[in-house]
Amino acid sequence: MVDFIGIPIDGSTDEIIQLFRRGRKNFLDEQLKVLSFLEKINATVCINTVLHSGNFNDLNNIHSIISRFNNVRKWQIFEFMPIGELGYKNKKSMKYIQIKLLI
């Protein structure tokens, strides 16, 4: 049995998402279509966001987007860590941010 289906959303626009995730230019639209489909089938969703200097000021916008979906029951925010090939390559531009969230 699956408790949550994890969907990555790292920004409220494709431009912000492209700061962290490379490859598909319509990533946000794709993820929103997936969320809509999962809502139709009543699947429980967890949104995963990697927090970095490029999307830190976008958290409220991300929240506004994901709040439209009733099936989003959890939002996990991970701090960017400069590990792996891409993480190390982008460590200066991403500047990982340590924060404490009180929810």
Side-chain angles (χ1 to χ4, degrees):
M1 179 182 214
V2 176
D3 293 328
F4 290 96
I5 297 174
I7 303 293
I9 296 182
D10 299 307
S12 65
T13 67
D14 284 315
E15 292 77 23
I16 294 172
I17 291 170
Q18 289 294 314
L19 295 172
F20 181 71
R21 295 190 188 273
R22 309 268 187 222
R24 299 192 313 265
K25 295 185 181 193
N26 297 316
F27 191 77
L28 181 60
D29 188 50
E30 292 174 10
Q31 298 304 71
L32 296 178
K33 287 178 182 176
V34 168
L35 280 171
S36 293
F37 172 76
L38 292 172
E39 189 167 55
K40 286 178 186 173
I41 64 169
N42 209 23
T44 305
V45 173
C46 173
I47 301 297
N48 299 310
T49 300
V50 177
L51 182 66
H52 53 78
S53 60
N55 67 359
F56 179 76
N57 292 319
D58 196 41
L59 290 176
N60 286 332
N61 296 328
I62 297 169
H63 181 263
S64 292
I65 289 171
I66 64 177
S67 294
R68 296 184 291 190
F69 297 92
N70 294 322
N71 60 328
V72 174
R73 302 290 166 79
K74 189 174 183 180
W75 183 18
Q76 297 185 119
I77 300 175
F78 301 96
E79 73 179 271
F80 170 78
M81 298 296 292
I83 57 175
E85 182 180 336
L86 285 176
Y88 184 77
K89 178 181 174 186
N90 294 313
K91 75 178 184 178
K92 289 182 182 177
S93 64
M94 291 289 122
K95 299 177 192 161
Y96 75 96
I97 300 170
Q98 288 185 320
I99 62 169
K100 291 184 180 180
L101 297 176
L102 301 174
I103 299 176

